[in-house]
Amino acid sequence: MHHLKPKVLPAGHHCPSLGMWALEAGSVRFSVPPSISRNSAMVNEPGGHGGPNPCLEGSSIGRESSKVSSRCSTRTLKPERRERLREKMRRRMESGDKWFSLEFFPPRLAEGAADLISGFDQMGAGGPLFIDVTWHPAGDPGSDKATSSMTIASIAVNYCGLETVLHMTCCCQSQEKITCHLHKAKRLGLKNILALRGDPVGDQWKEEEGGFCYALDLVKHIRSEFGDYFDIGVAGYPKGHPDAGSFESDLKFLKEKVSAGADFIITQLFFEADTFCHFVKACSEIGITCPILPGIFLIQNYHSLQQLVKLSKLEVPQQIKDKIEPIKDNDAAIFNYGIDQAVSLCQKLLASGLVPGLHFYTLNRTMAAIQVLKRLGMWTEDPRRFLPWAVSAHPKRWEEDVRPIFWASRPKSYIYRTQEWDEFPKGRWGNCSSPAFGELKDYYVFYLKSTSLKEEELLKMWGEELSSEESVFEVFTHYLSGEPNQNGCQVTCLPWNDKPLAPGTSLMKEKLLRVNRRGVLTINSQPNINGQPSSHPVVGWGPSGGYVFQKAYLEFFTSPRTVKALLQVLKKYELRVNYHVVDVKGENITNAPELQPNAVTWGIFPGREIIQPTVVDPVSFMFWKDEAFALWIKQWAKLYDKESPSQEIIQYIHDNYFLVNLVDNDFPLDNCLWQVIEDTFELLDRPPQTDREMEAT
């Protein structure tokens, strides 16, 4: 395979030994081009819990920001990504495909918010049409706090890829403040609002000066100020609003909200299917034709039932009281009854033919909702991904279909660092010499397990006391093997890999274990794939009927001694393997041609252009390098006392090890990267040679 001669760029930091190794290997030294600001890639100290959320700070789309130009366009891989919520509803209704949606509320504590966000990925796997996030005036809902409604909804959209509806109430807000919140929601990529009057703070509703008293006024205001940008939902009351004069007058107000611009209705909870069916028919008779979603309350314990009934001013049917009263002190029995009751109610609703979907009030307890949905056959976990990486639901990222592979295990970090881009690559990455990656100010914002776990839990996994570099090697091997460490604890995450191992890792597990035991500490890898069906349960992605391809990729930290041997070995593979070897200072040895990205994953699908969703981009790698090295200190070293032997070991690795990536370009052949590493080990295991013997070798 022919490679262009690499372009030599001026180096910013010169390491004499690294330069010597580069010359010995016949490679070039390469550092970050002058056009890239190195400061913008640095990673700062994490901030405290509950403080301003950097995910939301200064995220205005309209201001000056760096652009990544799209040099080629292709038809969107998944057209429904661009559909509005009301369009998705219409399509599902026309096809008769029932959906479900889930409601959550912001927890009071930052730790609870972290747990909620980490559960969004699990809930998203079941296929909800959307989730919605409630608005609590007492909790500073429009702020940048980790526990605010705005923050939770923004993260669900941007980092979890979920269609999200943000509640907005009139309570305790002026018109000006509401407008400000709506502008912020728009900037953050939120496109759906559930417009509500809201519950009064005290016993009686108090009119806010310069505010709105009714949801109807809020709907009119949104349409007046923002036109058709937002899809708007409103609340419906199957038995009429408690403050309405009659059921008929409440229906009249509901129709006015729909006429003013509401796109769909979500009902308050109810206990009997006939109640909802009567409501829907009454709505139809007065000309309400938009989708009406039944709000399903899951009875999970006696206290929550009593509290919700009090707030909603509803009566619990006698037959339910008769079932619950004898078991009110048995939470497990009530939970099981609640599942059975919800399944029965939903089955009747679905059989009526009057419901397009089901909306569940989860109370942030998702286990019950999942059980109900599984029994209804509506929980559909599809293992096939439509792209190899986690997508964002932000409108400006709808057409994004190419990313550097380096952030494969940290997609939320990549989304955060590129949030200021005006455009995103589609079709191909292109030869972009200066992408601007934002600072990663606060790891906490991504709600990673490694940051939400307590320090004592991390120490049990990563070593309460490290005695040598080999102690670190053991942590990596226990993460890969899944076997308990010497503390009897499973290593479920690493600073660079917060989630369970990717499915493709199973295809290389034994080889990965071997190289990690020898100090090749892998943080990212993929096997070579030559034309597997897109429906393949492990490596498949994209629409049905396609074929996917991958070049073998390996990324790891390793010692200076191993790097020196590796560069000698790579001479034999110069025409087949592209590589980057970089230290913490940014000194980089590479044989990659100029600044060209190397596509390492692509797919071919019926009626579409080739999609190449992951690339090895030399410039982006230098930004990733800063983040990858910083994780040694920000996540691991900080667990130990200052200047302790354990901290010094991690600091030594940070200061002296190299970050390496290897790409085997001949994907139809057997992966040669393992042989590259084996040849390196063989060279390391040889007896020491004289300088003359080394030259002869």
Side-chain angles (χ1 to χ4, degrees), residues 75 119 166 186 208 301-302 312 329 477 488 494:
R75 283 198 285 174
L166 175 66
K186 182 178 179 180
E208 182 76 17
N301 61 59
Y302 188 75
S312 61
D329 296 322
T477 55
L494 292 174

Side-chain angles (χ1 to χ4, degrees), residues 203-265:
D203 293 333
Q204 298 294 325
W205 176 266
K206 293 182 181 179
E207 184 175 346
E208 182 76 17
E209 185 176 351
F212 302 124
C213 290
Y214 301 102
L216 172 61
D217 300 323
L218 180 53
V219 173
K220 289 179 178 179
H221 178 70
I222 295 172
R223 286 289 177 239
S224 173
E225 292 291 321
F226 296 89
D228 202 39
Y229 177 81
F230 290 106
D231 282 8
I232 302 174
V234 293
Y237 298 84
K239 289 197 170 183
H241 193 283
D243 296 340
S246 66
F247 178 75
E248 290 73 21
S249 63
D250 190 48
L251 279 184
K252 178 183 175 184
F253 294 139
L254 180 59
K255 184 177 181 182
E256 288 181 9
K257 289 190 285 187
V258 174
S259 299
D263 298 293
F264 60 94
I265 297 167

Side-chain angles (χ1 to χ4, degrees), residues 575-588:
L575 297 181
R576 179 168 174 176
V577 176
N578 283 131
Y579 57 86
H580 295 83
V581 181
V582 65
D583 64 10
V584 70
K585 298 176 182 177
E587 188 75 12
N588 183 27

Side-chain angles (χ1 to χ4, degrees), residues 498-530:
D498 185 66
K499 293 187 176 181
L501 294 172
T505 304
S506 62
L507 304 177
M508 310 175 288
K509 185 174 180 179
E510 293 306 316
K511 291 183 172 64
L512 286 167
L513 283 168
R514 170 167 168 73
V515 302
N516 277 269
R517 291 189 184 106
R518 292 290 302 267
V520 173
L521 307 177
T522 56
I523 61 172
N524 196 352
S525 60
Q526 71 175 28
N528 60 311
I529 300 296
N530 185 21

